[in-house]
Amino acid sequence: MNRESLIKKIFSKEKFLVGIFYVALVVAWQLLYWLGTVQFGWWKSYAFPSPLGVVESCKSLIEKGTLLQAFLYSIVRGAVGFGLSVVLGLMMGILLSLSEKIHHCLHPLLLGLQTLPSICWVPFAILWFGLDESAILFVVVMGSAFSVALSVRNGIRNVNPLWIKVARTMGADKKKLYTKVIIPAAMPEFMEGLRQGWSFAWRALMSGEVMSATVGLGHTLLVGRDLADINQVMLVMIVIVVIGIVIDRFVFGRIEDRMFRKRGL
């Protein structure tokens, strides 16, 4: 057996074990629901979700077209809001790197704003923009832009000083220094910051959609709460988690792997 086939066998075995784990987890969840609601009456059936109830809720929302519509609206909002966050964060990160004085003044402020929960921006969004798309995008941008800015600043700060000295010795001006040396060298850490920024943006999007009456996964979650449908609430939570994992693995993960292979890492 050659090396490639051995690696494939190992990975297939790992995937099989992962599949077994999640099947066992769902079975244990259904068993817990049955024991708690039917056998011992620890809680009411409407207060605790079950896998079968989540599947039925998923089937109902798919037949109505609600789930697909909410998914598409949330994905578009998330992509637009995250794109704006990347542009704003990139500008702020470069600004922080231009001067130590600017860094000392703004870095603590950005660090503090990054730790602020996204839900805190909701009142500002409502008062400034009303209950529309602009308010949701504002919450998303405020929830993730500072994380992106700090990752850009950290990436630039950790660039090997020798590379910068060599570029200056060869006559590179400030524009070429950033575009040809500093930003490419900071890309690995910048990519990690993008992944973190996306997670913040996705969470902020749910906070923004909960406050709005427009279509989206956050609003669908709120509707499930209003209808006391715990299975719909659980379904939307699972969908939100799965989307976050898929985007992290198949978008950012592949971009990061390609970048590392290109650099021989």
Side-chain angles (χ1 to χ4, degrees):
M1 183 180 295
N2 57 33
R3 183 179 178 182
E4 291 183 1
S5 60
L6 180 61
I7 292 176
K8 290 181 180 179
K9 184 177 180 180
I10 293 174
F11 278 115
S12 62
K13 184 178 179 181
E14 289 181 351
K15 291 179 181 179
F16 176 76
L17 292 176
V18 170
I20 292 297
F21 168 76
Y22 283 109
V23 170
L25 190 64
V26 172
V27 171
W29 176 14
Q30 183 64 43
L31 180 62
L32 179 63
Y33 172 81
W34 178 77
L35 290 174
T37 58
V38 179
Q39 191 68 18
F40 298 105
W42 292 333
W43 46 70
K44 301 297 181 181
S45 59
Y46 59 80
F48 193 86
S50 68
L52 293 179
V54 170
V55 171
E56 292 177 0
S57 179
C58 180
K59 181 181 177 181
S60 175
L61 291 179
I62 289 176
E63 290 176 350
K64 296 176 182 177
T66 304
L67 189 60
L68 178 60
Q69 188 182 33
F71 164 76
L72 293 176
Y73 270 80
S74 293
I75 284 293
V76 172
R77 290 193 190 107
V80 174
F82 180 64
L84 295 174
S85 300
V86 171
V87 173
L88 182 60
L90 185 61
M91 291 190 297
M92 287 191 296
I94 294 175
L95 178 63
L96 287 174
S97 67
L98 292 177
S99 169
E100 285 297 322
K101 293 181 179 180
I102 296 177
H103 176 265
H104 289 317
C105 291
L106 293 183
H107 184 265
L109 177 61
L110 295 184
L111 190 61
L113 291 174
Q114 182 195 7
T115 62
L116 195 65
S118 303
I119 196 69
C120 295
W121 295 106
V122 171
F124 286 95
I126 295 176
L127 292 173
W128 291 348
F129 303 100
L131 297 175
D132 58 9
E133 297 293 325
S134 300
I136 299 176
L137 293 178
F138 172 79
V139 175
V140 174
V141 171
M142 299 304 291
S144 61
F146 304 117
S147 174
V148 175
L150 292 174
S151 70
V152 171
R153 171 54 185 147
N154 292 335
I156 294 175
R157 195 179 185 89
N158 294 330
V159 173
N160 192 333
L162 182 61
W163 299 347
I164 298 176
K165 292 179 181 179
V166 170
R168 285 175 175 168
T169 302
M170 298 177 66
D173 56 17
K174 204 155 193 175
K175 181 180 178 181
K176 288 186 177 181
L177 186 64
Y178 271 90
T179 58
K180 301 297 183 180
V181 179
I182 295 178
I183 293 180
M187 281 304 295
E189 191 163 350
F190 180 46
M191 279 303 305
E192 190 62 31
L194 287 182
R195 300 178 82 162
Q196 184 180 13
W198 163 254
S199 66
F200 287 154
W202 190 238
R203 288 190 301 176
L205 174 64
M206 296 304 111
S207 300
E209 287 186 343
V210 164
M211 73 172 182
S212 175
T214 58
V215 180
L217 290 173
H219 179 62
T220 306
L221 181 73
L222 193 63
V223 171
R225 185 208 66 179
D226 294 338
L227 297 176
D229 189 348
I230 192 66
N231 291 308
Q232 179 171 323
V233 172
M234 190 66 189
L235 169 65
V236 176
M237 291 174 62
I238 293 174
V239 170
I240 292 171
V241 171
V242 169
I243 292 174
I245 293 174
V246 168
I247 291 179
D248 180 82
R249 177 65 185 90
F250 292 99
V251 177
F252 294 105
R254 289 187 175 181
I255 294 175
E256 190 175 61
D257 291 343
R258 186 179 301 175
M259 181 182 62
F260 284 159
R261 284 197 304 267
K262 186 177 180 181
R263 292 168 177 262
L265 301 176

